[in-house]
Amino acid sequence: MSVQTYKDLLIWQKGIAIVKIVYNNLESFPKDEIFGLQNQIKRASVSIPSNIAEGWGRDSTQSYIQFLRISRGSLFELETQIIIAKELNFLSELKFDEIIGLITEESKMLNAFIKSLSK
């Protein structure tokens, strides 16, 4: 399969999957977290595929790599927030493991893609 657009990239598709699972699991958070941790988690998750897409539209490979690094930073931010949510008992062990699994996969994929573009 050839890559015609950022939507063909597995890292973007995995980013969208992360957004969906995150949004679907925020319902269990306390209502007073809507503007706190819950909002931060939403923003970090949406930033992952958004920066992959934005970087795609840039004029240079180096600029694209920078946006991929920003996406990776948002991924680590999300991971930290998910760990906090688990520590506060806002997420079950099962949901935590599922989200962390996707984050780990995305991290490996982003690292490999950045490395391949840096050559």
Side-chain angles (χ1 to χ4, degrees):
M1 175 178 121
S2 77
V3 177
Q4 302 292 320
T5 175
Y6 64 87
K7 292 178 267 184
D8 295 330
L9 295 170
L10 290 177
I11 58 169
W12 181 84
Q13 295 168 11
K14 180 75 66 180
I16 295 295
I18 289 170
V19 172
K20 288 166 49 177
I21 194 168
V22 161
Y23 268 71
N24 288 335
N25 284 286
L26 293 177
E27 297 168 358
S28 63
F29 280 48
K31 295 300 173 211
D32 63 347
E33 281 299 326
I34 289 174
F35 300 109
L37 185 58
Q38 188 175 9
N39 184 47
Q40 287 290 103
I41 289 172
K42 286 180 179 181
R43 290 168 53 98
S45 70
V46 168
S47 179
I48 297 162
S50 297
N51 277 294
I52 294 167
E54 185 173 354
W56 178 271
R58 295 296 167 150
D59 292 336
S60 72
T61 301
Q62 286 307 314
S63 182
Y64 189 30
I65 290 170
Q66 182 59 29
F67 275 88
L68 292 172
R69 287 179 177 144
I70 293 167
S71 181
R72 186 175 57 190
S74 294
L75 186 68
F76 294 152
E77 179 182 1
L78 175 63
E79 181 179 40
T80 298
Q81 294 161 350
I82 293 299
I83 290 168
I84 292 167
K86 172 66 175 83
E87 292 293 318
L88 295 172
N89 295 314
F90 296 166
L91 285 174
S92 70
E93 190 74 37
L94 184 65
K95 292 300 179 183
F96 172 80
D97 290 343
E98 185 178 10
I99 296 168
I100 291 296
L102 286 174
I103 288 171
T104 301
E105 288 176 30
E106 181 77 337
S107 178
K108 290 176 183 177
M109 291 168 64
L110 273 168
N111 287 335
F113 193 47
I114 290 167
K115 185 176 180 180
S116 74
L117 290 176
S118 297
K119 292 182 179 179

